[in-house]
Amino acid sequence: MSMQHPASARPMVAIVGATGAVGVDLIQCLAQRKFPLSDLKLLASARSAGRFMEFQGRQIPVEELTENSFEGVDIALFSAGSTISRRFAPAAVASAAVVIDNSSAFRLDAGVPLVVPEINPQAAFDHAGIIANPNCSTIISITPLWPIHRINPIRRLVVSTYQAASGAGAAAMDELRESTRAYLDNRLFEPRVLPHPYAFNAFSHNSDVDPQSGYNAEEIKIMRETRKIFGDETMRISATCVRIPVLRAHCISVHFECEAPISADEVSGILQGAAGVKVVDDRQRNYFPMPRDATGQDDLLVGRIRQDASDPTGRSVAMFVAGDQLLKGAALNAVQIAELLQAKSQVAAMA
Ligand SMILES: NC(=O)c1ccc[n+]([C@@H]2O[C@H](COP(=O)([O-])OP(=O)(O)OC[C@H]3O[C@@H](n4cnc5c(N)ncnc54)[C@H](OP(=O)(O)O)[C@@H]3O)[C@@H](O)[C@H]2O)c1
């Protein structure tokens, strides 16, 4: 199924959570990529109803999300947390909209495709009303790995994240700004959003820790989602997720072991032409991917590509990735999925 409503040249799009960190970037991505929509509906909580947000020079009112918000909507981009997705996505689907969901509510459900357009675009068409956008650290870790995996399957993967405030929403970004000011002014600051002092600190990811395995929910998402997207339940994966005081781009140290020997040069060559990836790997100048450079960029920056010295078989490579997690990690990936649906519905309409 490509789109539930009869194929329309210009679908009506709704954003649920339009005022949030991801929502604001969804509006920008739709505008910058000139997504061919007929109208844009902005939905959020009652707190934001009546506020106006700009889209392509127009001021659009934010409306309160209700079960009746989806009449006439073709594509609903959900970005207001799992509870809201579970409660309102069924209403959107019942109204014949296709939901592209940024939350973790449905990602692992059978029958819900989990899509990174550079990896498994075809999966987007095999939906029953809901398509899930993967976790931001999953997308940033695995987009550069896919072209390698296709040539020389990856059997083992170890990732360590350095995650920005933006992954915890707009309020966490404010907390980083405010707590940094307070720290520099020698004022006390009581954390409200994150569990630990954020300025000049780093701490284990703020998601719940599974008491049995010791992995936190973010780490478990990366491990499970990667297997689902790659379609390989046998891949051995371990993740360590850490929050660092950076505003909006995640960094990830990635170590992978392939089935057959592979050199750092081969990996570099594969990544030079890979979709959604830019190699930044200047050993002479010690210039590698940084969150400052990744911020605002659609491409993921990949560098520090080197043979993993801990594997004498020559099958392992280490690298470092930086990606704007509000863009490729969330809003951009969701809009790319909407573009896939739109392109398919146009082809169907012409047939
Ligand atoms: N941040 C990321 O990079 C990222 C990446 C991937 C996925 N996600 C997922 O995307 C979702 C949103 O994340 P975010 O970072 O954008 O969060 P955020 O900045 O906290 O924004 C939350 C949004 O949800 C809306 N909302 C909250 N309660 C609502 C309600 N009862 N009814 C309608 N709208 C409601 C808020 O509206 P008000 O302004 O009216 O409160 C706001 O627009 C989460 O599921 C998150 O896990 C986030």
Side-chain angles (χ1 to χ4, degrees):
M1 190 191 307
S2 60
M3 203 167 289
Q4 294 193 292
H5 277 134
S8 55
R10 291 182 164 266
M12 176 158 167
V13 175
I15 299 178
V16 176
T19 51
V22 177
V24 166
D25 276 47
L26 282 168
I27 297 172
Q28 268 177 19
C29 279
L30 290 170
Q32 277 167 4
R33 297 172 74 85
K34 299 189 169 50
F35 187 84
L37 48 81
S38 62
D39 204 358
L40 182 63
K41 198 165 194 182
L42 302 180
L43 302 163
S45 77
R47 293 180 290 275
S48 305
R51 199 182 134 181
F52 283 83
M53 297 178 82
E54 193 185 313
F55 175 70
Q56 292 180 325
R58 273 193 302 142
Q59 293 295 322
I60 300 185
V62 177
E63 298 169 43
E64 182 182 354
L65 171 68
T66 71
E67 258 98 11
N68 302 320
S69 297
F70 300 100
E71 201 179 316
V73 170
D74 298 292
I75 298 176
L77 302 166
F78 269 66
S79 182
S82 296
T83 310
I84 298 293
S85 291
R86 282 207 186 87
R87 183 163 159 214
F88 291 95
V93 174
S95 280
V98 177
V99 170
I100 301 172
D101 184 32
N102 261 296
S103 83
S104 58
F106 309 108
R107 285 181 191 147
L108 297 177
D109 289 7
V112 174
L114 186 59
V115 178
V116 179
E118 289 84 350
I119 300 179
N120 57 346
Q122 285 304 323
F125 308 124
D126 193 17
H127 66 80
I130 300 176
I131 301 169
N133 212 39
N135 167 274
C136 47
S137 298
T138 308
I139 299 176
I140 294 168
S141 300
I142 70 172
T143 303
L145 291 177
W146 179 248
I148 301 160
H149 183 73
R150 292 181 69 183
I151 293 170
N152 188 348
I154 293 168
R155 291 289 167 237
R156 179 166 180 256
L157 174 63
V158 179
V159 300
S160 304
T161 70
Y162 305 69
Q163 293 185 225
S166 51
M173 295 171 82
D174 287 342
E175 181 152 306
L176 176 56
R177 290 189 191 94
E178 285 173 33
S179 63
T180 303
R181 270 188 217 109
Y183 186 98
L184 292 173
D185 294 346
N186 216 10
R187 276 185 285 115
L188 271 180
F189 182 90
E190 205 53 54
R192 294 183 292 263
V193 182
L194 291 163
H196 305 294
Y198 204 0
F200 303 97
N201 195 15
F203 50 87
S204 186
H205 192 276
N206 45 294
S207 52
D208 291 345
V209 180
D210 172 43
Q212 253 76 51
S213 67
Y215 283 94
N216 61 47
E218 184 84 351
E219 294 161 351
I220 292 168
K221 283 178 193 171
I222 295 176
M223 300 189 298
R224 291 184 177 159
E225 292 178 18
T226 299
R227 293 191 189 106
K228 176 167 175 172
I229 297 163
F230 276 21
D232 182 356
E233 288 302 319
T234 66
M235 191 184 279
R236 289 169 289 143
I237 313 176
S238 181
T240 301
C241 291
V242 170
R243 198 67 83 186
I244 60 162
V246 156
L247 268 179
R248 66 169 282 163
H250 288 353
C251 291
I252 307 188
S253 161
V254 179
H255 290 244
F256 59 92
E257 180 186 319
C258 291
E259 203 166 270
I262 188 163
S263 70
D265 282 349
E266 269 174 271
V267 168
S268 203
I270 295 167
L271 292 177
Q272 293 289 349
V277 167
K278 187 172 163 203
V279 175
V280 177
D281 206 10
D282 188 339
R283 292 180 182 180
Q284 242 178 351
R285 284 200 306 140
N286 196 347
Y287 204 106
F288 301 110
M290 289 185 269
R292 274 184 80 103
D293 289 347
T295 293
Q297 300 293 317
D298 286 355
D299 283 342
L300 302 173
L301 310 181
V302 186
R304 303 235 51 218
I305 303 168
R306 61 208 191 280
Q307 205 77 40
D308 183 337
S310 71
D311 179 4
T313 70
R315 290 178 297 133
S316 301
V317 168
M319 57 193 200
F320 195 70
V321 187
D324 188 317
Q325 61 80 229
L326 287 175
L327 289 177
K328 186 57 191 165
L332 172 62
N333 198 74
V335 171
Q336 285 177 305
I337 295 171
E339 288 170 348
L340 288 173
L341 299 182
Q342 177 61 6
K344 174 108 187 247
S345 79
Q346 288 313 291
V347 171
M350 282 190 292

